[in-house]
Amino acid sequence: MANPLLLDIPEQHQEKAEEIRAYLVLVRGGAPFLSGADCTLLVKWLDEKVSIAAITTAIDRVAARRRAKRVRSRMSLNVCKGELRKILGHKTKTPKELKPIKNVGLKGLVQNLRRLDVPTSLSTAKQVLVQTLTNLSQNDGDLETLAKKAIKGCRDFHETVWRICEDQHEQLQLQSEQELASLRNLLGEQHWREMVEEVMRDKLRSRFPLISAQSIWNAINLSENGA
């Protein structure tokens, strides 16, 4: 049965499209569906067999750039086009925002995550993610499938962070509104709310930069290259 949030996506692409939709919504918040323009673009990418890992990594990189310089544009797949082209042309390039993974592949990422300090309220979520990635690192399946499952594990963790930190939302909202104050009179009410939520979510995600599609992309490509 087709996902009602992806009515404009052909059935053969529904599963992959759902993973990408969910990741984009995790990053930006707001409406749970893709715009018509984003649906059209996503179908084009999936027809061209662009991977979930590449697309979600582009989302991460654009989010990092928007973190450095707050902009008026809405977060969408369309604004990720240029970054995706760079990724497909230079698939192992690591942006400056992320610390390089010291070990090789998913096993190295797991070792780094084991050392990651998290609040007690997130210890279970971290354990689940570490176990998921440990299991995947021992799997000889194709890299696309491994990446998809690993990225979903990262998304699940950050969705838990958003929920567990609900008592911080009011303070995060105030901080985000102050940060975006120069844009307030330039945006409509709906656009303003969307931008504030995006910054709120970004502030929480940036506490755990290794838990991201970008890190999975790096780890998978290290595994593939044997570097």
Side-chain angles (χ1 to χ4, degrees):
M1 182 177 179
N3 185 332
L5 298 174
L6 297 168
L7 292 179
D8 294 328
I9 302 292
E11 184 176 355
Q12 69 269 26
H13 292 325
Q14 285 269 324
E15 184 178 353
K16 290 183 177 180
E18 168 55 20
E19 292 297 326
I20 295 161
R21 179 205 66 81
Y23 200 88
L24 178 66
V25 172
L26 168 74
V27 169
R28 76 174 185 199
F33 49 83
L34 299 178
S35 68
D38 273 358
C39 281
T40 299
L41 183 59
L42 182 54
V43 170
K44 176 178 180 295
W45 287 342
L46 295 177
D47 281 345
E48 294 171 353
K49 302 189 184 306
V50 180
S51 70
I52 292 172
I55 296 170
T56 52
T57 297
I59 292 170
D60 273 352
R61 292 190 184 183
V62 169
R65 190 168 67 238
R66 290 164 71 88
R67 179 183 308 142
K69 183 179 180 180
R70 300 303 183 189
V71 295
R72 292 170 55 184
S73 62
R74 288 180 167 90
M75 181 63 173
S76 67
L77 294 180
N78 188 62
V79 303
C80 298
K81 288 189 298 186
E83 202 61 49
L84 182 60
R85 282 195 294 269
K86 294 178 185 178
I87 289 168
L88 296 177
H90 309 281
K91 71 177 182 178
T92 59
K93 183 178 179 181
T94 305
K96 295 180 180 179
E97 295 87 354
L98 288 170
K99 297 178 181 178
I101 298 170
K102 295 180 181 179
N103 303 291
V104 176
L106 282 176
K107 291 181 180 179
L109 179 56
V110 167
Q111 291 177 27
N112 285 337
L113 290 177
R114 289 187 190 280
R115 295 190 290 268
L116 181 67
D117 289 329
V118 300
T120 303
S121 59
L122 291 171
S123 59
T124 299
K126 174 189 166 181
Q127 290 170 9
V128 169
L129 176 60
V130 167
Q131 188 60 55
T132 296
L133 296 185
T134 298
N135 292 344
L136 290 173
S137 72
Q138 298 168 349
N139 193 312
D140 293 327
D142 69 278
L143 293 177
E144 170 71 5
T145 299
L146 293 180
K148 180 180 75 171
K149 292 179 178 178
I151 290 168
K152 182 181 184 302
C154 292
R155 175 167 58 82
D156 289 344
F157 176 86
H158 283 296
E159 287 176 347
T160 299
V161 173
W162 179 256
R163 185 178 67 255
I164 292 293
C165 294
E166 186 175 4
D167 61 340
Q168 300 177 35
H169 285 190
E170 183 175 354
Q171 183 61 33
L172 286 167
Q173 180 177 339
L174 290 173
Q175 293 173 355
S176 300
E177 288 175 346
Q178 291 171 359
E179 192 171 317
L180 294 169
S182 63
L183 299 177
R184 181 64 184 93
N185 294 330
L186 303 175
L187 306 176
E189 191 60 36
Q190 179 64 30
H191 193 174
W192 170 253
R193 289 197 298 269
E194 291 172 355
M195 292 295 292
V196 169
E197 183 177 347
E198 181 185 334
V199 175
M200 290 170 63
R201 288 174 173 272
D202 181 73
K203 287 182 178 298
L204 287 178
R205 283 197 337 280
S206 64
R207 297 177 185 178
F208 310 101
L210 273 180
I211 302 177
S212 64
Q214 174 70 74
S215 284
I216 301 302
W217 175 261
N218 293 346
I220 291 293
N221 280 311
L222 284 172
S223 296
E224 182 180 24
N225 295 333

